[in-house]
Amino acid sequence: MTTQGRSTLREVKDDACWKEMKLSDTFDTANREQYRPAFHHTPLYGWMNDPNGMFFKDGTWHLYYQYNPYGSKWQNMSWGHSTSKDLITWEHQPVALEVDGLGHVFSGSSVVDSAGTAGFGKDAIVALYTSCDASQYQSMAYSTDGGTTFQRYAGNPVLTLESEARDPNMFWDEKAGQWVMTLAHALDHEILFFTSPDLKVWTLQSAFGKGEGAQDGVWECPDLFKLKVEGTDEEKWVLICNLNPGGPFGGSATQYFIGDFDGKTFTSDTDASGRIPTKWMDFGKDHYATVSWSGTPQNRRTVIGWMSNWQYAAEVPTTQYRSANTLPRDLSLFRAPDGEIYLASAPAAELTALRGTLACKAKKATAGKKPCVFELPAAQRGICEILLDIDARKADSVSIDITNKAGERVALTYNPAAHTLAFDRRNSGLKDFSKDFPAVTVAPTFENGRKISLRIFIDRSSIEVFGNNGHFVSTNLVFPTQPYSKLSVTSHGGSTKISNLNIFSIKEQ
Ligand code: FRU
């Protein structure tokens, strides 16, 4: 019996190998797994879900995460910790926070308290997380060594509510001169807004969400920040609200609202019909619990998500570890042809440093009924980055197939009249571990002119498709039994022009 991928005691017993028991104070961390990603963040061993408490300070990106250091299924929730200088290579750090008397250490956020408002000194790192036992409380921990070790605040919990509420996310509101916290009122399907002068005493100011957006499942892992609309000086607030289940393709997904925030209350924009639209950040099945780093340089709003889905995260065919994070993405806002403002998620600029050799290049090619076929690099078992521009002004639809020698295939279909890109992984490789895994996901392409540019990252068990510099994204896990080795473009109902095709191998990390 699994509850949303979280194992029960009975199941843990069934999972474990009872034929032989050995005592050890270390874990085997040598990577022998076929599906462990080559350029995505994964824990060294054990189970991982949501990214937590991310902050940037002195050139280092800190990434904490929901972690079970004792097994590869959900249990013993702790904060694992990794650091990076370039958002590509991650160094594993000791576990930052482990279960205490108040329970599991659930998701939360951290800030650099540069003025020392919480009383732990200037530049202390202050983290708020949810303590989860029979109830859920918000607790505090702080670090005076830059995020390596944390002390628990003696006055924990700092916030208790009568109903389930979790995943506190804070930021400093420059204008009001106070801290703001968003908290997911999980079962009530709303986000609560609190303010505080010192991160310890929190006053409830407002709530947003009841009856709005996708309302299934539970609301979790909120985030709130301001961004400029591309090409204008207009600023809008974005409220991120992950939910599970209830995503557009089943299970977990990230929805967001665009609107205004006056320091206390969030008001969502409405569409032409006067309704608050439901918007999704990623149109694949494996993008969840996405939140942003605090303290990022140059006003960047950089996010990372958990690259899995509670429907099958505990069943995916890996053993030593479970789950990776998505590639880091930088957010911006753009106005689409329908007049609405949407969130774009572009691959972080640092990711171009992943590129190795240019394995295949075509300045121009024309696809018809007969496909244009391009080889994917064989080095490092097929991992690569693919860039290509597609002009489908003369075509009804375009098939972009990623295939291997075992006959497995990821089928992308661009439909210019419907403005969609579908991602079909029903025959992509291993899929029988969960009835919810085989799926076709569909992204709106938000273009107007039957042309799209794609940037596709293929790792050992994932494909992320970024369209038009992140105006649409599909993130999906795949488990091919052999490396993908070919990209074929076929045009239906007329020809399709391909240009600027570049396929890069990925440098060994
Ligand atoms: C989201 C979530 C959070 C919670 C954490 C527990 O995936 O359910 O709401 O804090 O995972 O691991």
Side-chain angles (χ1 to χ4, degrees), residues 325-343:
N325 282 314
T326 66
L327 289 175
R329 298 149 186 211
D330 277 313
L331 302 184
S332 60
L333 293 175
F334 68 101
R335 203 175 277 280
D338 66 0
E340 286 285 312
I341 298 171
Y342 293 93
L343 201 51

Side-chain angles (χ1 to χ4, degrees), residues 78-147:
S78 308
W79 276 25
H81 183 203
S82 299
T83 52
S84 176
K85 295 274 180 203
D86 58 6
L87 284 175
I88 294 178
T89 40
W90 292 96
E91 260 183 61
H92 297 286
Q93 306 292 347
V95 174
L97 286 165
E98 284 199 78
V99 182
D100 69 356
L102 286 176
H104 291 284
V105 186
F106 269 20
S107 290
S109 60
S110 331
V111 288
V112 180
D113 184 12
S114 43
T117 60
F120 307 126
K122 286 192 173 161
D123 279 342
I125 311 301
V126 181
L128 281 191
Y129 59 88
T130 302
S131 292
C132 178
D133 201 348
S135 305
Q136 298 186 352
Y137 307 121
Q138 313 320 314
S139 294
M140 175 188 270
Y142 61 95
S143 168
T144 50
D145 63 3

Side-chain angles (χ1 to χ4, degrees), residues 6 49-50 66 74 77 106-107 166-167 220-221 288 310:
R6 297 176 189 177
N49 55 287
D50 316 358
Q66 286 290 280
W74 188 94
M77 276 302 111
F106 269 20
S107 290
R166 58 178 173 268
D167 312 334
E220 305 182 312
C221 303
Y288 193 55
W310 280 115

